[in-house]
Amino acid sequence: MRSAGAGMVDLEMAGSEVRIAGWVHRRRDLGGLVFLDVRDRSGVLQASAGPDWSSGSALEAVRGLGVEDVIAIRGVVTPRPEEARNPDMATGDVEVQIAELEVLNRARTPAIPVYRPPEEELPSEKLRLRHRVLDLRRRELQARLELRHRLMLAVRNYFHEEGFVEIETPILTKPTPEGARDFLVPSRVHPGEFFALPQSPQIYKQLLMIAGFDRYVQIARCFRDEDLRADRQPEFTQIDVEASFVQPDDIYGWCEGLMARLAKVAGIEAGPPFTRITYHDAMERFGSDRPDLRYGLEIADYSEVLGALDFRILQGAVARGGRIRGLRLEGGARLTRKQIDAIEQAARTAGAPGLLWAKIQEDRATGPLGRFFRDDTRARLGLAPADLLLAAAGPDRMTSPALDAARTASIAALGLPRATGHAWLWVTGFPLFEDAGDGTLAANHHPFVQPHPDDIHLLDSDPLAVRGLAYDLVYNGTELGSGSIRPHDAALQTRILALLGLEPGEIETKFGFLLEALRSGAPPHGGIALGVDRLAARFSGAASLRDVIAFPKTTAARALFEGAPVPVAAADLAALGISVGAAE
RNA sequence: GGGGCUGUAGCUCAGUUUGGUUAGAGUGCCGGUCUGUCACACCGGAGGCCGCGGGUUCGAGUCCCGUCAGCCCCGCCA
């Protein structure tokens, strides 16, 4: 039906006859002469219809064409007249002079335009999702999905070269009590019983290690029934990796090699170095476990100097065991009151009651905090003229997120230059547990993390102080992946589950199959899962995951194109032994 | 579950602050003219549940209450 892609036609083909098939992108009817822009996945090509080279039927047909009609044309590639060349178009030096034209299919006037005039905003996200096939015809989205394909191809090649085997794991799995809410799938054969869609192939990949597949990889779909964000979809894809007889360094090595190759595929500068930082240091210096290290601004502890001021709020915070930490913004004194308020608001949203600040103007310190400065305070804090000091007082669990938010907002407000174009970071040594809030322990990562050997003796006495052999991969402030070394000893795994509050019977019912496997001779193993959607979004410059997913869900977890989910007929439910009432 | 922003012609948006004649623009669509356009140009035309429901008012796109949807954020997401 076609002999070339529209975007592939160039001057070297001049004089030869081509057959092109695609969509009518635009049409310019000059009366005696009609120009068509024909679009396919490879690009856009101008075709012209005129009485000297087009058949009567082609001339007739071309007048009735509308945008997005599907056509096939036959004609000769012709250099355009010198003055009619279009340097803004990849194929702008040539056109196809239409000899024959066949209309393969008609299109209704599109609900949203595929062609977008310069300066025109994209249609609303709602309409783009509702009319997804039209939206996907845009070059921008096609390029993103093509990049995603090339990235996945490189992933498979890379791991294949490294001796990994890709193995599929079940989509119908067993519900797990830990972590996110499961999507449940009823079993017709066993009324009243349910499968769950996998939140990740975590346990299966461990079972594969025990089975002796010492290097496993899978591009795996995962499902979590939780509320969404710009960087979170209910179904998403992970590069799921697991290997036996490995240390964290082995995992880092594979991931670093992979990321360097993927950056190359994406054509972006995003190679090494990969910095490493402990969770503790990340929280101390940046207030976040996924700091954006492209910017140098760091948090410092000002408890000693500021706690000594005659300022009751600060004294009180320190007396209660908290600290006064803050950010010194070089030249920050030029920020307006409004800008500082916005930064403070960011800190409040992150959970701080407020943010104190001191401006150094000439030699005076002003602002809610500056007013309390003593003669030597400025010097002891190392503040220079035109600096702005932002401070938060309280327990670290409150000040860290607040200062993280303030740091991000300050970088934006000051327009701070990046110290580097991209920043890769391994964050290591996460705590194994966190306080669930009610005094019980919750897994910080998931329950399948090996405790750090130096801390294992604290499991019973001070579990919150136990670090795990877990690590996150962070790129420019985005968490791209997360992994750990897993406990391969059944007794240790059982102990961890017990610390999380599971009863022995519960452990057996829910995780018996894993523990039994661990008892059968499990090798030491560990791995990581890397978020494909986030990776593709970051590497393609997409603002939202929706722009690298062909058919994404809305923030309310709906599919607008096909219209899912939907209620089902009572008879279908009855066959599954399900009755539906009001949700809680 | 909570907070914020948005919802007006097929699409992108004005108009809402301060209620008042027939709700506008660009683009697209329909008809016409046009042989070198590429955001073609020019002439003419059609096109509106102002998201939905209720209220206040002589009168509501505009004010109030509720609700739905999209987006962003908090909770949540190992």
Side-chain angles (χ1 to χ4, degrees), chain A residues 430-434 442-445 449-451 459 463 466-468 496:
Chain A
F430 286 85
L432 201 57
F433 302 109
E434 61 187 12
N444 181 46
H445 195 63
V449 176
Q450 175 77 21
L459 266 181
V466 178
R467 290 165 297 164
I496 292 169

Side-chain angles (χ1 to χ4, degrees), chain A residues 28 49 80 116 178 238 279 334 409 433:
Chain A
R28 291 175 294 280
R80 296 199 201 174
R116 180 160 60 122
E178 286 292 328
Q238 288 185 341
Y279 171 82
R334 70 179 157 86
F433 302 109

Side-chain angles (χ1 to χ4, degrees), chain A residues 225-309:
Chain A
D225 190 3
E226 294 292 346
D227 291 344
L228 306 180
R229 289 286 188 283
D231 60 352
R232 249 159 44 194
Q233 282 275 306
E235 56 180 311
F236 57 98
T237 308
Q238 288 185 341
I239 303 166
D240 198 43
V241 178
E242 196 79 3
S244 296
F245 312 113
V246 292
Q247 304 287 339
D249 276 339
D250 297 302
I251 305 294
Y252 299 163
W254 279 313
C255 290
E256 292 173 10
L258 177 68
M259 290 304 145
R261 186 180 294 191
L262 294 184
K264 211 169 188 176
V265 167
I268 58 173
E269 278 297 322
F274 288 72
T275 313
R276 292 186 197 178
I277 191 174
T278 63
Y279 171 82
H280 175 269
D281 286 352
M283 296 306 286
E284 183 66 25
R285 291 167 56 194
F286 304 102
S288 165
D289 60 0
R290 49 177 179 84
D292 188 344
L293 294 195
R294 288 176 299 174
Y295 304 95
L297 186 59
E298 293 194 24
I299 296 167
D301 185 343
Y302 299 109
S303 301
E304 199 186 322
V305 178
L306 294 181
L309 296 182

Side-chain angles (χ1 to χ4, degrees), chain A residues 168-365:
Chain A
E168 292 178 278
T169 53
I171 293 295
L172 297 175
T173 72
K174 184 177 182 176
T176 53
E178 286 292 328
R181 276 181 279 266
D182 287 318
F183 281 102
L184 294 175
V185 181
S187 164
R188 175 190 56 82
V189 180
H190 306 286
E193 297 184 27
F194 294 81
F195 295 101
L197 302 181
Q199 297 178 23
S200 85
Q202 178 61 38
I203 293 178
Y204 290 107
K205 67 177 176 179
Q206 290 190 241
L207 297 177
L208 288 169
M209 291 304 107
I210 301 169
F213 291 96
D214 53 12
R215 291 183 180 186
Y216 145 96
V217 68
Q218 183 183 194
I219 294 177
R221 302 303 286 280
C222 307
F223 307 86
R224 294 177 192 174
D225 190 3
E226 294 292 346
D227 291 344
L228 306 180
R229 289 286 188 283
D231 60 352
R232 249 159 44 194
Q233 282 275 306
E235 56 180 311
F236 57 98
T237 308
Q238 288 185 341
I239 303 166
D240 198 43
V241 178
E242 196 79 3
S244 296
F245 312 113
V246 292
Q247 304 287 339
D249 276 339
D250 297 302
I251 305 294
Y252 299 163
W254 279 313
C255 290
E256 292 173 10
L258 177 68
M259 290 304 145
R261 186 180 294 191
L262 294 184
K264 211 169 188 176
V265 167
I268 58 173
E269 278 297 322
F274 288 72
T275 313
R276 292 186 197 178
I277 191 174
T278 63
Y279 171 82
H280 175 269
D281 286 352
M283 296 306 286
E284 183 66 25
R285 291 167 56 194
F286 304 102
S288 165
D289 60 0
R290 49 177 179 84
D292 188 344
L293 294 195
R294 288 176 299 174
Y295 304 95
L297 186 59
E298 293 194 24
I299 296 167
D301 185 343
Y302 299 109
S303 301
E304 199 186 322
V305 178
L306 294 181
L309 296 182
D310 189 17
F311 194 156
R312 194 167 294 175
I313 295 174
L314 297 183
Q315 291 170 349
V318 174
R320 283 190 296 274
R323 293 194 293 161
I324 306 159
R325 299 157 72 205
L327 296 159
R328 184 176 75 85
L329 306 183
E330 224 177 288
R334 70 179 157 86
L335 292 179
T336 62
R337 183 58 192 269
K338 199 173 171 184
Q339 286 175 302
I340 297 174
D341 283 350
I343 294 169
E344 177 171 14
Q345 187 50 47
R348 284 182 197 274
T349 303
L355 208 56
L356 293 163
W357 53 273
K359 253 186 195 180
I360 310 299
Q361 287 171 314
E362 282 141 30
D363 258 357
R364 289 187 316 118

